[in-house]
Amino acid sequence: MTFLLPAFLFFIFTTPQLMAALNDANAMKIPNRIPLLAFAGFLLMVPLTWSGFPVLFEHLTVGLVLFAAGFAMFAFGWMGGGDAKLLAATAFWFTWPDVFLYMIYTALFGGVLTLFVMVGRQYIPVRVLTTQWAQTMFRDETKIPYGLALAAGAILTLPKSAIFQAALGM
């Protein structure tokens, strides 16, 4: 029975992350319902993994700080609106040590993704781009589907996070 809560939490967390990655790869957009689903999942899991008001306050603080940071990055044109919303919704799931790890993983994946897309845009002939995601990824010279990096960073961070450890009973 002890594996049910962590498995449920993993499903509730990763589903919107994977949806965001797929939408961003195929259309360079993350629909509003996806970050809302991620945030709703957090609200669902809080009572199931209750660790007290100080931990809840930390989760809320992390989420609000990253919401402000994402909004600022969007305002400066450094990040898309869907990416900023996904960043904020995902951040609510994490405490400060978790979010540090999340930023490291996301930056690493983001760097690899950016290099991949830039090299692909330079060297892949247009006639080879036959799928929708390849057309989207390599033809638009101004955007990077950073939702892929955000999702990968989040999914790798989750097993080490405080909320997941609480679900495990640790």
Side-chain angles (χ1 to χ4, degrees), residues 80-159:
D83 298 330
K85 289 179 265 186
L86 181 64
L87 171 68
T90 302
F92 280 100
W93 285 80
F94 298 136
T95 59
W96 288 115
D98 305 333
V99 86
F100 178 74
L101 188 59
Y102 174 46
M103 293 294 104
I104 296 292
Y105 284 146
T106 299
L108 290 172
F109 278 105
V112 170
L113 173 67
T114 301
L115 287 173
F116 172 73
V117 170
M118 289 174 62
V119 168
R121 287 178 181 164
Q122 185 73 27
Y123 295 107
I124 296 176
V126 174
R127 66 182 178 281
V128 175
L129 304 177
T130 58
T131 62
Q132 176 61 39
W133 75 268
Q135 287 280 338
T136 303
M137 182 105 47
F138 296 113
R139 297 223 39 217
D140 185 341
E141 296 291 326
T142 61
K143 296 180 181 177
I144 300 287
Y146 212 73
L148 293 163
L150 290 166
I155 291 169
L156 273 181
T157 302
L158 181 66

Side-chain angles (χ1 to χ4, degrees), residues 2-153:
T2 59
F3 70 90
L4 289 179
L5 184 59
F8 181 64
L9 186 146
F10 187 79
F11 175 76
I12 294 295
F13 181 82
T14 58
T15 299
Q17 300 298 325
L18 294 173
M19 290 169 61
L22 288 171
N23 273 279
D24 213 13
N26 284 316
M28 293 280 188
K29 291 184 186 341
I30 300 173
N32 289 337
R33 70 181 184 279
I34 295 173
L36 284 173
L37 187 60
F39 183 68
F42 166 72
L43 294 177
L44 175 68
M45 293 310 299
V46 164
L48 298 176
T49 59
W50 184 251
S51 297
F53 283 107
V55 175
L56 175 61
F57 180 73
E58 186 175 2
H59 282 280
L60 296 175
T61 303
V62 168
L64 292 172
V65 167
L66 264 69
F67 171 77
F71 182 80
M73 288 186 280
F74 171 71
F76 285 113
W78 300 339
M79 178 179 267
D83 298 330
K85 289 179 265 186
L86 181 64
L87 171 68
T90 302
F92 280 100
W93 285 80
F94 298 136
T95 59
W96 288 115
D98 305 333
V99 86
F100 178 74
L101 188 59
Y102 174 46
M103 293 294 104
I104 296 292
Y105 284 146
T106 299
L108 290 172
F109 278 105
V112 170
L113 173 67
T114 301
L115 287 173
F116 172 73
V117 170
M118 289 174 62
V119 168
R121 287 178 181 164
Q122 185 73 27
Y123 295 107
I124 296 176
V126 174
R127 66 182 178 281
V128 175
L129 304 177
T130 58
T131 62
Q132 176 61 39
W133 75 268
Q135 287 280 338
T136 303
M137 182 105 47
F138 296 113
R139 297 223 39 217
D140 185 341
E141 296 291 326
T142 61
K143 296 180 181 177
I144 300 287
Y146 212 73
L148 293 163
L150 290 166

